[in-house]
Amino acid sequence: QAGRITDVRYTSNIDKLLSIFEQNYFVASGSDVEKEYHYQSDNEDMALITDILREMASDPEERKEIEGERELLRVFNNLKDPLKATIKEKDKIIEEGKKTIEEKDKTIEEKDKLIEEDKKTIEEKDKTIEEKDKENAELRKKLAEFEHLFRDKQAK
Protein backbone atom coordinates (compact mmCIF):
# COMPACT_ATOMS: atom_id res chain seq x y z
CA GLN A 1 0.00 0.00 0.00
CA ALA A 2 2.87 2.39 0.71
CA GLY A 3 3.80 2.40 -2.97
CA ARG A 4 0.33 3.57 -3.96
CA ILE A 5 0.45 6.73 -1.81
CA THR A 6 1.02 9.87 -3.84
CA ASP A 7 1.47 13.52 -2.94
CA VAL A 8 -2.14 14.21 -3.90
CA ARG A 9 -3.56 11.72 -1.41
CA TYR A 10 -1.88 13.14 1.73
CA THR A 11 -5.22 14.00 3.25
CA SER A 12 -5.21 12.05 6.50
CA ASN A 13 -2.61 11.53 9.18
CA ILE A 14 -2.32 7.86 8.16
CA ASP A 15 -1.56 8.87 4.55
CA LYS A 16 1.07 11.28 5.76
CA LEU A 17 2.57 8.69 8.09
CA LEU A 18 2.71 6.02 5.40
CA SER A 19 4.25 8.50 2.97
CA ILE A 20 7.42 8.32 5.07
CA PHE A 21 7.89 4.74 3.89
CA GLU A 22 7.14 5.44 0.23
CA GLN A 23 9.72 3.70 -1.97
CA ASN A 24 10.37 6.88 -3.98
CA TYR A 25 12.15 8.37 -0.97
CA PHE A 26 14.70 5.55 -0.59
CA VAL A 27 17.79 6.49 -2.57
CA ALA A 28 20.78 4.26 -3.18
CA SER A 29 24.13 5.92 -2.65
CA GLY A 30 27.00 3.53 -3.11
CA SER A 31 26.43 0.42 -1.03
CA ASP A 32 24.05 2.21 1.36
CA VAL A 33 20.42 3.09 0.94
CA GLU A 34 19.43 6.46 2.34
CA LYS A 35 16.04 7.89 3.09
CA GLU A 36 15.29 11.32 1.68
CA TYR A 37 12.02 12.77 2.91
CA HIS A 38 11.76 16.41 1.90
CA TYR A 39 8.33 17.31 3.22
CA GLN A 40 7.94 19.55 6.23
CA SER A 41 5.92 17.65 8.81
CA ASP A 42 3.06 19.60 10.34
CA ASN A 43 2.42 16.92 12.93
CA GLU A 44 4.52 16.28 16.04
CA ASP A 45 4.17 12.52 15.72
CA MET A 46 5.40 12.62 12.12
CA ALA A 47 8.33 14.78 13.12
CA LEU A 48 9.20 12.36 15.92
CA ILE A 49 9.04 9.33 13.62
CA THR A 50 11.17 10.96 10.94
CA ASP A 51 13.67 12.03 13.60
CA ILE A 52 13.88 8.50 14.99
CA LEU A 53 14.32 7.05 11.51
CA ARG A 54 17.03 9.54 10.69
CA GLU A 55 18.77 8.78 13.97
CA MET A 56 18.68 5.04 13.37
CA ALA A 57 20.12 5.47 9.90
CA SER A 58 22.82 7.93 10.86
CA ASP A 59 26.37 7.07 11.76
CA PRO A 60 27.30 6.46 15.44
CA GLU A 61 28.93 9.87 15.92
CA GLU A 62 25.91 11.67 14.55
CA ARG A 63 23.61 9.47 16.63
CA LYS A 64 25.62 10.38 19.75
CA GLU A 65 25.27 14.08 18.88
CA ILE A 66 21.52 13.71 18.37
CA GLU A 67 21.19 11.90 21.69
CA GLY A 68 23.15 14.68 23.37
CA GLU A 69 20.87 17.29 21.82
CA ARG A 70 17.80 15.37 22.96
CA GLU A 71 19.20 15.09 26.47
CA LEU A 72 19.93 18.81 26.48
CA LEU A 73 16.41 19.51 25.26
CA ARG A 74 14.97 17.20 27.94
CA VAL A 75 17.02 18.91 30.66
CA PHE A 76 16.04 22.32 29.33
CA ASN A 77 12.36 21.38 29.32
CA ASN A 78 12.66 19.98 32.85
CA LEU A 79 14.27 23.21 34.05
CA LYS A 80 11.94 25.48 32.13
CA ASP A 81 8.79 24.68 34.12
CA PRO A 82 10.33 25.30 37.56
CA LEU A 83 11.89 28.49 36.23
CA LYS A 84 8.53 29.63 34.93
CA ALA A 85 7.00 28.88 38.32
CA THR A 86 9.79 30.81 40.06
CA ILE A 87 9.31 33.73 37.70
CA LYS A 88 5.56 33.68 38.36
CA GLU A 89 6.19 33.67 42.12
CA LYS A 90 8.61 36.56 41.84
CA ASP A 91 6.18 38.46 39.61
CA LYS A 92 3.49 37.88 42.23
CA ILE A 93 5.80 39.14 44.98
CA ILE A 94 6.65 42.19 42.86
CA GLU A 95 2.95 42.89 42.28
CA GLU A 96 2.25 42.58 46.00
CA GLY A 97 5.16 44.94 46.67
CA LYS A 98 3.77 47.42 44.17
CA LYS A 99 0.35 47.23 45.84
CA THR A 100 1.95 47.76 49.25
CA ILE A 101 3.85 50.76 47.93
CA GLU A 102 0.68 52.18 46.38
CA GLU A 103 -1.17 51.75 49.69
CA LYS A 104 1.67 53.44 51.56
CA ASP A 105 1.70 56.25 49.00
CA LYS A 106 -2.04 56.72 49.55
CA THR A 107 -1.52 56.73 53.31
CA ILE A 108 1.25 59.31 52.94
CA GLU A 109 -0.98 61.46 50.71
CA GLU A 110 -3.78 61.27 53.29
CA LYS A 111 -1.36 62.22 56.06
CA ASP A 112 -0.04 65.10 53.94
CA LYS A 113 -3.63 66.30 53.49
CA LEU A 114 -4.20 66.08 57.24
CA ILE A 115 -0.98 68.00 57.86
CA GLU A 116 -2.11 70.68 55.39
CA GLU A 117 -5.47 70.89 57.12
CA ASP A 118 -3.72 71.15 60.49
CA LYS A 119 -1.48 73.91 59.12
CA LYS A 120 -4.53 75.81 57.92
CA THR A 121 -6.21 75.33 61.27
CA ILE A 122 -3.09 76.57 63.05
CA GLU A 123 -2.87 79.59 60.69
CA GLU A 124 -6.53 80.40 61.37
CA LYS A 125 -5.94 80.11 65.11
CA ASP A 126 -2.84 82.29 64.80
CA LYS A 127 -4.92 84.90 62.96
CA THR A 128 -7.62 84.67 65.64
CA ILE A 129 -4.97 85.11 68.35
CA GLU A 130 -3.50 88.11 66.51
CA GLU A 131 -6.97 89.65 66.22
CA LYS A 132 -7.63 89.00 69.91
CA ASP A 133 -4.23 90.51 70.76
CA LYS A 134 -5.13 93.61 68.72
CA GLU A 135 -8.51 93.81 70.45
CA ASN A 136 -6.81 93.39 73.83
CA ALA A 137 -4.29 96.10 72.94
CA GLU A 138 -7.12 98.44 71.93
CA LEU A 139 -9.02 97.60 75.11
CA ARG A 140 -5.89 98.28 77.22
CA LYS A 141 -5.43 101.56 75.40
CA LYS A 142 -9.04 102.54 76.07
CA LEU A 143 -8.73 101.36 79.66
CA ALA A 144 -5.60 103.49 80.06
CA GLU A 145 -7.46 106.47 78.59
CA PHE A 146 -10.39 105.89 80.97
CA GLU A 147 -8.06 105.56 83.92
CA HIS A 148 -6.36 108.80 82.89
CA LEU A 149 -9.72 110.55 82.53
CA PHE A 150 -10.92 109.10 85.83
CA ARG A 151 -7.81 110.34 87.64
CA ASP A 152 -8.19 113.73 86.05
CA LYS A 153 -11.79 113.87 87.25
CA GLN A 154 -10.84 112.82 90.74
CA ALA A 155 -8.09 115.36 90.86
CA LYS A 156 -10.40 118.17 89.97
Side-chain angles (χ1 to χ4, degrees):
Q1 292 295 327
R4 293 179 37 201
I5 299 173
T6 63
D7 290 347
V8 177
R9 292 193 37 201
Y10 295 162
T11 55
S12 70
N13 285 336
I14 283 284
D15 290 339
K16 291 176 185 177
L17 178 62
L18 289 175
S19 73
I20 294 172
F21 303 101
E22 198 172 317
Q23 295 301 310
N24 299 342
Y25 301 122
F26 288 93
V27 179
S29 69
S31 63
D32 292 334
V33 176
E34 292 183 9
K35 178 79 172 143
E36 290 183 4
Y37 188 74
H38 301 289
Y39 296 104
Q40 190 76 326
S41 59
D42 57 350
N43 181 320
E44 275 189 47
D45 294 330
M46 292 267 299
L48 180 62
I49 290 170
T50 54
D51 285 349
I52 290 170
L53 290 172
R54 280 191 193 107
E55 181 180 342
M56 300 307 268
S58 65
D59 66 83
E61 287 296 319
E62 193 173 320
R63 198 172 316 141
K64 188 175 179 181
E65 185 179 326
I66 290 171
E67 287 172 6
E69 288 174 0
R70 282 193 178 154
E71 179 64 16
L72 184 62
L73 185 60
R74 185 189 65 76
V75 168
F76 174 75
N77 285 332
N78 286 342
L79 291 175
K80 182 176 63 172
D81 293 334
L83 286 175
K84 280 185 178 179
T86 302
I87 290 170
K88 281 185 181 180
E89 284 179 38
K90 288 188 178 186
D91 286 346
K92 186 177 179 181
I93 290 169
I94 289 170
E95 282 301 313
E96 289 172 0
K98 285 181 180 178
K99 287 179 182 176
T100 303
I101 290 170
E102 287 175 6
E103 290 172 4
K104 287 184 178 182
D105 286 346
K106 286 181 183 177
T107 303
I108 289 170
E109 285 179 23
E110 290 172 2
K111 287 184 178 181
D112 285 346
K113 286 180 183 177
L114 288 173
I115 289 170
E116 283 299 314
E117 289 174 6
D118 287 347
K119 282 183 181 178
K120 288 180 183 177
T121 305
I122 290 170
E123 286 175 3
E124 289 173 3
K125 286 182 178 179
D126 285 346
K127 285 181 183 177
T128 305
I129 290 171
E130 283 179 27
E131 290 172 3
K132 294 288 183 186
D133 286 346
K134 285 180 183 177
E135 287 177 13
N136 284 341
E138 287 178 23
L139 288 174
R140 283 189 185 124
K141 201 180 205 184
K142 286 184 182 179
L143 183 60
E145 286 176 13
F146 283 128
E147 283 178 358
H148 184 60
L149 285 174
F150 181 69
R151 284 187 198 143
D152 283 348
K153 267 194 168 180
Q154 277 185 345
K156 287 187 187 179

